[in-house]
Amino acid sequence: MLKNPHVAVLGVTGAVGQELLAILEERKFPFASLKMLASARSAGRDMQFMDRTYKIEEATPDSFKGIDLVFASAGGSISKALASHAVKAGAVVVDNTSAFRMDPEVPLVIPEINPGDIAKHKGIIANPNCSTIIALVPLWPIHKVAKIKRIIAATYQAASGAGAKAMEELKLQTQDFLAGRPVKKEVLPHQIAFNVFSHNSKIGADGYNEEEVKMVKETKKIFHDDAIQITATCVRVPVLRAHSEALYVETEKPLSPDEARELLAKAPGVKVIDDREKNYFPMPLETTGQDDIWVGRLRVDPTVKNGLAMFVSGDQIRKGAATNAVQIAEILLKQQ
Ligand code: NAP
């Protein structure tokens, strides 16, 4: 790939696509040209970016001629339909959807954890699920030192994890509810305003939903550790943006909360916010717009040998999606 690639953003009008543009600008990502791709619904519309006006184009198999790098976030079925065309045209696809994450030929990468996997790509590199990224960035330094045997995760996932329209739905439902009007459900399956419900993904025969299964499978692949035990409960909460998670880990070697705090304070992509006196810990309102995953409430879990509990929060549109994808692309450019 060139040092100054021709870039396409597939799904540019969405929550992730819009954040991706902001991050390309913020991080001064080099590009020779930029192509804005979305569905036929948006084609022809103008989009402003860095003092220029771009025309949004409909994404088709022919959209990738002359493109070196594609950031894809238009949904799994669109990536499945179009990624191979992009690769045939000579591009590398950094894919934010779940389409290829578990494909053994496709690296699944969190740059703070397994950047070495990027070089093994055959045209597609997958960005992990947002809840997986938010859990694993702070768990990796602990795993390296004390070897995690088991993880129990409970998520508190923001509405925007289901896209820009779900975020709007939370705002509208809140206004309608407070005004005493009937609440409309169009994007999410249940009322999200003033409510909490099990993650809106398909539930398998074993009772686990797809989000929970993703966390389990992706953790093993990213950590290169099939033996690690992990189970999760994934839930939507009426938060606009940034996911939070309660994490319980059992380690092979003992690691005190103080040792973990010290380790995490030095870890890339992590910020420790753990003020017991002020009852001040990570909150989604404060992690919104941030790239670091905030960690706090570090304490002993006395119910198992070598148990450690913590609460984490991170912006799932940034580090959980767009920032992680741009970090992968930055490493790709350096590898040329
Ligand atoms: P979103 O806000 O609903 O945006 C979807 C994007 O896909 C829009 O740009 C839409 O374009 C485009 N699109 C839809 N159908 C298309 C088609 N047939 N051809 C071309 N483009 C099409 O969704 P999002 O939240 O950004 O999520 C996008 C992907 O990223 C999903 O796979 C999601 O699982 C993943 N992801 C999301 C998050 C998150 O926090 N939101 C985090 C990690 C990963 P139009 O505007 O033209 O319809």
Side-chain angles (χ1 to χ4, degrees):
M1 198 191 298
L2 307 162
K3 290 275 171 222
N4 207 28
H6 295 277
V7 174
V9 181
L10 170 58
V12 73
T13 53
V16 175
Q18 286 293 293
E19 197 65 33
L20 199 114
L21 291 182
I23 290 167
L24 291 179
E25 181 173 12
E26 259 174 62
R27 295 175 76 103
K28 301 188 170 54
F29 188 87
F31 58 86
S33 70
L34 201 54
K35 198 169 197 174
M36 309 287 199
L37 298 173
S39 77
R41 291 178 291 274
S42 310
R45 259 179 45 202
D46 285 342
M47 183 165 283
Q48 299 295 326
F49 178 60
M50 291 175 77
D51 300 328
R52 266 202 61 185
T53 306
Y54 293 84
K55 271 262 180 276
I56 300 174
E57 297 174 41
E58 179 184 359
T60 70
D62 299 324
S63 297
F64 307 101
K65 274 188 205 115
I67 296 292
D68 304 303
L69 175 65
V70 179
F71 291 105
S73 63
S77 59
I78 309 299
S79 281
K80 276 190 188 143
L82 296 181
S84 62
H85 295 280
V87 174
K88 258 185 227 137
V92 177
V93 178
V94 181
D95 187 35
N96 259 300
T97 78
S98 58
F100 305 105
R101 286 180 191 147
M102 293 315 298
D103 182 332
E105 301 274 287
V106 174
L108 180 66
V109 177
I110 301 176
E112 288 82 352
I113 301 176
N114 60 336
D117 288 351
I118 292 174
K120 298 178 201 154
H121 81 84
K122 295 181 175 146
I124 302 173
I125 300 159
N127 215 56
N129 167 268
C130 46
S131 301
T132 311
I133 295 179
I134 289 164
L136 297 195
V137 170
L139 290 185
W140 177 245
I142 295 173
H143 188 55
K144 272 196 298 185
V145 167
K147 191 154 176 33
I148 297 174
K149 292 199 302 192
R150 181 168 182 239
I151 304 167
I152 300 173
T155 71
Y156 303 70
Q157 297 186 222
S160 55
K165 288 191 180 124
M167 178 148 65
E168 283 316 302
E169 183 157 283
L170 170 55
K171 288 185 196 162
L172 277 176
Q173 286 185 352
T174 305
Q175 286 163 355
D176 285 342
F177 184 89
L178 291 176
R181 292 188 293 261
V183 163
K184 289 188 214 80
K185 290 177 289 182
E186 275 158 13
V187 184
L188 291 165
H190 306 289
Q191 178 177 325
I192 181 75
F194 305 97
N195 196 18
V196 164
F197 56 81
S198 183
H199 192 274
N200 49 294
S201 52
K202 220 168 115 196
I203 302 188
D206 58 1
Y208 283 89
N209 63 46
E210 283 175 350
E211 187 83 352
E212 292 160 354
V213 174
K214 284 174 190 171
M215 286 188 77
V216 171
K217 291 187 174 164
E218 293 180 18
T219 296
K220 292 173 193 269
K221 180 165 175 177
I222 296 161
F223 275 10
H224 298 162
D225 183 355
D226 276 338
I228 195 164
Q229 297 292 300
I230 158 162
T231 186
T233 300
C234 292
V235 167
R236 285 257 180 243
V237 294
V239 163
L240 280 175
R241 192 164 156 162
H243 293 350
S244 305
E245 304 183 27
L247 300 173
Y248 292 82
V249 301
E250 197 182 338
T251 53
E252 217 160 85
K253 292 187 202 142
L255 188 75
S256 71
D258 282 343
E259 286 168 327
R261 222 171 272 119
E262 209 174 300
L263 199 65
L264 290 166
K266 288 184 272 176
V270 178
K271 187 168 171 182
V272 176
I273 300 288
D274 202 15
D275 190 338
R276 293 179 183 180
E277 223 164 89
K278 296 202 178 95
N279 201 341
Y280 176 56
F281 303 110
M283 287 185 273
L285 266 185
E286 293 191 342
T287 55
T288 291
Q290 306 290 318
D291 283 325
D292 284 342
I293 308 301
W294 291 17
V295 191
R297 301 227 55 210
L298 281 151
R299 62 207 193 276
V300 170
D301 169 6
T303 62
V304 289
K305 192 175 165 219
N306 300 337
L308 193 65
M310 70 200 80
F311 189 75
V312 306
S313 184
D315 187 322
Q316 93 288 349
I317 308 181
R318 286 183 71 95
K319 181 57 188 168
T323 304
N324 199 73
V326 175
Q327 286 175 307
I328 290 172
E330 286 170 348
I331 296 172
L332 260 176
L333 294 197
K334 275 197 208 122
Q335 283 175 351
Q336 300 310 302

